[in-house]
Every structure is written in structure tokens, then in C-alpha cells.
Amino acid sequence: PLRTIAWAIDTISSLFTNQYYRIYLIFVLWIGMGITWGILDQGWDQITATHFAVSALATGGLTAPPVDERTGILPAGPALFCGFYCLFGIPLMALTLGIFARVLVEGYIVEEELAAITRPLSKSEFGFASKSLCSTDNALHLSDYIVLQLMRQGKLSLESFEFMKRQYQD
């Protein structure tokens, strides 16, 4: 059965060449495993099993199956499953959410950089770049333009540039 599961995961993941889709797929399969366990082992309905599968990972395992009414102890089988499910599922959820956040932020950053690059130079920016950056002949050279664009994007501060300029001249 483990070879079959591994083969199925390899086959499905080979359909996705993008690393982001692969981690999303693994996460969905992991949640699906929690839902399936809740339905088959605990006899829960789909809503309750889905609530367990997601909230156990989101709360660090605070959502667990009910304890035995007679002893007040969580039976060994559910305890082992919950421990295994949370031990590997919580980092998987954190990784998935981190990658999802990066995808969202990367799009925003690319748009901001493009807006900064395509915005026309103002007279003051042109004067600043042509007189105080790399060249001293009151002309805007490629090196001045590149440094100015890096500053407009927030990737280079004037202090850092001045430090690098001093390092180069020494």
C-alpha cells in the first residue's frame, strides 16, 4: 500500500512542474488524509472531519477527538494519529502558507518595481543623478540611471551608495 500511495503522489505531482503547485497539492492531500481519518475512524460527518483536519493544524493540535467517556483518556489509536498528523502537518501548513504569502507579495513587488522604473524622471531626479551620482560632467550616464532606478525602487539608499563610492575610490 505504501508503494501505491508513493506512486500516486509521484504521478500526480509530476503533472505539476511548478514547485508552488506541488506543495499546495501535498497540503491538500494531507488535509484530505485528516478528513478521511475523521470520517472512517471517528465516524464524523464531512463538516466535523474537515473542521478537525484544518483546526488541528491551525491550533497546534488543540482540536482532538473526544476522550473515552469512562476513563477520560484519549485512546491510543487516535492519540497516535493526531500526534503524527500534527507533527508533520503543522510545519507543512506553515510552509504552504508562507509560500502562498510569498506568491502574493512577489506580484505586488513586481508591480511596484515596474511602476518605479516606468515613471518618468522628474527634473529634480535628473539634476540629482547627473550631478551627484557617478559622473561629474552634468550628463546622465547609464551608471547614473541605474543607480537612480535602484534608489527609486528602494533597493539602494544614498548612504549605501556613498559608502560604495568611497570604497571604490580608495
Side-chain angles (χ1 to χ4, degrees):
L2 290 177
R3 284 189 181 174
T4 306
I5 293 170
W7 173 82
I9 290 172
D10 287 339
T11 302
I12 292 169
S13 66
S14 69
L15 298 174
F16 300 98
T17 56
N18 186 318
Q19 66 181 359
Y20 300 137
Y21 293 152
R22 196 170 295 136
I23 194 68
Y24 298 150
L25 176 66
I26 292 168
F27 180 67
V28 167
L29 290 173
W30 194 262
I31 294 291
M33 180 180 69
I35 293 170
T36 304
W37 177 81
I39 291 171
L40 298 178
D41 188 70
Q42 297 296 302
W44 295 330
D45 59 78
Q46 291 177 340
I47 302 293
T48 305
T50 302
H51 177 264
F52 162 78
V54 175
S55 63
L57 301 181
T59 62
L62 292 178
T63 302
V67 297
D68 187 340
E69 293 178 9
R70 291 177 288 120
T71 63
I73 298 173
L74 185 62
L80 288 172
F81 178 81
C82 289
F84 170 79
Y85 184 73
C86 291
L87 180 68
F88 295 102
I90 292 169
L92 178 63
M93 183 174 189
L95 177 67
T96 304
L97 291 175
I99 289 173
F100 183 70
R102 180 175 16 154
V103 168
L104 292 177
V105 171
E106 279 178 353
Y108 175 77
I109 290 172
V110 166
E111 288 177 16
E112 289 294 312
E113 288 176 350
L114 186 60
I117 291 172
T118 57
R119 187 177 73 231
L121 291 178
S122 67
K123 286 185 179 185
S124 62
E125 287 174 328
F126 179 80
F128 171 74
S130 62
K131 292 180 181 162
S132 40
L133 289 178
C134 299
S135 58
T136 56
D137 59 358
N138 290 337
L140 185 63
H141 297 278
L142 178 60
S143 57
D144 301 318
Y145 180 76
I146 291 171
V147 168
L148 179 62
Q149 288 295 356
L150 289 172
M151 287 180 172
R152 291 172 89 194
Q153 293 176 35
K155 295 184 177 186
L156 179 66
S157 68
L158 183 59
E159 294 80 21
S160 297
F161 171 72
E162 292 295 335
F163 177 77
M164 287 186 274
K165 190 175 177 180
R166 284 192 304 276
Q167 291 290 348
Y168 177 76
Q169 291 171 345
D170 289 341

